[in-house]
């Protein structure tokens, strides 16, 4: 960071370019967090290669929103985070599609991922349910692991970046 533009302190390798404009953006993104709260009921027994946990969340929406990007999150035991959209239909609740998954999750390579342009639109409607399923490998642990903030604790979350922000209740 070089706010005063001192000579020799500018790093031009970041690839980030910012510009100021008077035009309002077409879309303003907001974040919806889905999954289990770090101090929730997450419990992972020791010594299991594929311990799975899932949680269903119903985002509080005023109207439809489009999912533009996502970031999955678990800690060191996490090996998979799958996030599915469920919607009630004439035949009961159906899986409508994926709204942000990292099937081969690695704690050391977390990132925000944009859905490709022209990819199938991912739209959440009021009443939809988002299921986050995390799978953990606890074979290296001799004690139970619980949800928590530390890297040796665990989490199971997906952060959805959606628009229009006006359709998301805070």
């Amino acid at each position: 960071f070089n706010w005063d533009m001192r000579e020799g302190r500018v790093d031009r390798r970041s690839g980030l370019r910012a510009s100021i404009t008077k035009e309002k953006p077409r879309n303003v993104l907001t974040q919806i967090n889905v999954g289990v709260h770090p101090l929730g009921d997450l419990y992972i027994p020791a010594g299991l290669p594929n311990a799975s946990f899932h949680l269903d969340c119903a985002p509080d929406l005023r109207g439809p929103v489009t999912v533009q990007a996502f970031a999955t999150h678990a800690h060191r035991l996490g090996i998979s985070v799958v996030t599915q959209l469920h919607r009630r239909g004439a035949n009961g609740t159906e899986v409508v599609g994926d709204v942000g998954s990292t099937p081969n999750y690695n704690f050391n390579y977390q990132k925000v991922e944009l859905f490709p342009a022209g990819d199938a639109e991912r739209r959440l409607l009021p009443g939809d349910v988002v299921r986050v399923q995390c799978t953990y490998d606890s074979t290296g642990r001799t004690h139970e692991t619980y949800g928590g903030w530390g890297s040796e604790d665990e989490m199971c979350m997906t952060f959805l970046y959606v628009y229009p922000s006006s359709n998301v209740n805070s």
Side-chain angles (χ1 to χ4, degrees):
F1 181 70
N2 188 13
W3 63 271
D4 58 356
M5 301 298 289
R6 288 189 192 177
E7 188 65 36
R9 292 181 62 197
V10 177
D11 183 352
R12 300 188 192 287
R13 298 172 293 166
S14 72
L16 179 65
R17 202 176 285 213
S19 60
I20 298 173
T21 178
K22 291 181 180 182
E23 294 178 33
K24 289 185 176 182
R26 188 176 59 186
N27 297 310
V28 175
L29 295 177
T30 193
Q31 180 176 311
I32 298 175
N33 301 339
V34 291
V36 65
H37 187 277
L39 301 179
D41 294 330
L42 183 57
Y43 164 78
I44 303 162
L48 297 178
N50 284 299
S52 286
F53 178 90
H54 78 268
L55 185 72
D56 293 340
C57 303
D60 189 7
L61 303 176
R62 290 186 202 109
V65 295
T66 299
V67 181
Q68 181 77 36
F70 70 94
T72 55
H73 186 69
H75 287 173
R76 297 191 188 281
L77 299 183
I79 58 173
S80 174
V81 181
V82 175
T83 312
Q84 294 179 324
L85 174 60
H86 293 242
R87 182 171 295 146
R88 290 198 179 143
N91 299 324
T93 302
E94 305 172 348
V95 176
V96 176
D98 179 273
V99 288
S101 296
T102 310
N104 297 305
Y105 181 82
N106 184 324
F107 177 76
N108 296 312
Y109 298 103
Q110 299 178 57
K111 61 184 175 180
V112 174
E113 298 185 56
L114 287 170
F115 287 111
D119 202 12
E121 187 171 297
R122 287 159 173 83
R123 204 162 179 82
L124 274 65
L125 305 176
D128 282 351
V129 171
V130 178
R131 172 172 286 181
V132 182
Q133 179 168 334
C134 294
T135 304
Y136 305 94
D137 180 353
S138 64
T139 54
R141 297 267 171 103
T142 57
H143 58 280
E144 299 85 7
T145 302
Y146 296 93
W149 299 105
S151 296
E152 297 304 314
D153 302 320
E154 269 307 331
M155 288 190 179
C156 179
M157 302 183 83
T158 298
F159 308 107
L160 302 175
Y161 300 94
V162 305
Y163 68 90
S165 59
S166 59
N167 282 351
V168 178
N169 288 319
S170 55

